[in-house]
Amino acid sequence: MKALTRLAATAEQTARAKTPPYTPAITFNLSSKHQTQRKPSPSCRSFSVSRMRTDPFKPAKRVAGQRQDVWSIVNEAAEQSNVKPMVNMGQGFFGYNPPDFVLNAAKDALNRVECNQYSPTKGRPRLKKAIADAYSPFFDYELDPDKNVTITTGANEGMLSAFMGFIEQGDEVIVFEPFFDQYISNIEMPGGKVIYVPLHPPKDGATKTTSAGDWTLDMKELEAAVTDRTRMIVINSPHNPVGKVFSKDELQAIGDLCVKHNIIILSDEVYDRLYYVPFTRIGNLSPEIAKLTLTVGSGGKNFYATGWRVGYLIGPEHLIKYVSAAHTRICFSSVSPLQEATAVAFEQADAHDFWNQSKKEMQAKVKRFCEVFDELGMPYSDPEGGYFVLANLAKVKLPEDYEFPPHVASRPRDFKLSWFLIKEMGIAAIPPTEFFTEKNAHLVEDWLRFAVCKNDDILDTAKERLRGLKKYIH
């Protein structure tokens, strides 16, 4: 009997190994608007008083039981702070408008009838073509706007659509710690299980400034995390919140592992235009890796318009079509006038030398802000890309008698540091343990994340307020 059980298990594993990794999670009817529905039997219509819900307002498990999130804690502290105005370097929204050529495109689109109506669910043709034209030089093949590009309502919804398109109940998705917190709920919504693999901070990161590239991935840990249930792996480069740009060798090792085990790669590259060291796209490393890779991009991140919620995915047709199918069920289509404006932005960016200027300006903001940590003798992780800076505040000694509310006192030290800076100095930063599991939160309990995508006068105000930490440094 045991032999039969082992044989059956082996057969199941073999079947999974032979199944193409891009088989969709749901059988979407891509050609018809209507699905055949089975007529319920009379027994299905019966109603039992004994089975009535005692609590009709009980939420589903997928949204119930969550502890207070970091964003609401930071906002709560900001509201209570006596230091005004608050300098918000917590969330990664821009402190300034998109350039004029982008804003004018949005205004023009609002005056056109067709731009105020539904767009095709896969995205406006002009935007898909603009993205295909902009990204084809980065890949070894010419992108087909209709087969290799799909538009989503922000990069986050695009990633949710990818998970919804390919994840079944019990499938595993590997995520690197620290992680963007939305990954987790997006994976769990369709029934996926998150498998965490940590990035390790530099050993001397608490005593001296280091490069974000010194955060390392242990490939043996990654290989050990792969099982016969592993369906996808999420990569973020440039990385939020670390600022690491994964090297070509690192991405090659990850890609080769995914090819070996038929694992779909979801590459979150929303900061792909803000890199300060050589940047490699994993989807361009080899034809075998390209077949498995979905690249995620963000018009909002690229053009300083995070509220526009214009995202996109690039990849082979056998992956893109199921992302599009899931997106159709989630929100049908995305905002028409802002899609049109984003198309114009991509079309005109080179003529305005926008990419080079935005990169140069953001790198200057990083340097400008980090001067205060050099003054205070506080080490930080020098970002290789993006607009987040992780600073190590281990030298800051919080007053022993300082009162923290219970929901902050029960969290790691970085939450207390964040609360203290907001309340006493009027500067908001994010505690990065929120982006780690409890097991690995100790790795960053002395760090805070600062977003530098703000006007220079705001950065200067933040620096002046941070100088107030001098009396707490021992």
Side-chain angles (χ1 to χ4, degrees), residues 368-377 462-464 466-467:
R368 185 188 193 103
F369 177 65
C370 288
E371 289 172 349
V372 71
F373 297 127
D374 292 329
E375 290 177 26
L376 297 171
K463 288 163 63 178
E464 186 58 37
L466 283 170
R467 292 186 180 103

Side-chain angles (χ1 to χ4, degrees), residues 134-146:
Y135 279 84
S136 287
F138 302 138
F139 292 90
D140 284 336
Y141 65 99
E142 196 74 18
L143 297 174
D144 184 323
D146 296 321

Side-chain angles (χ1 to χ4, degrees), residues 104-120:
N104 290 336
K107 294 173 184 177
D108 290 343
L110 286 170
N111 287 324
R112 293 163 53 192
V113 173
E114 71 275 15
C115 290
N116 288 298
Q117 310 308 319
Y118 292 127
S119 285

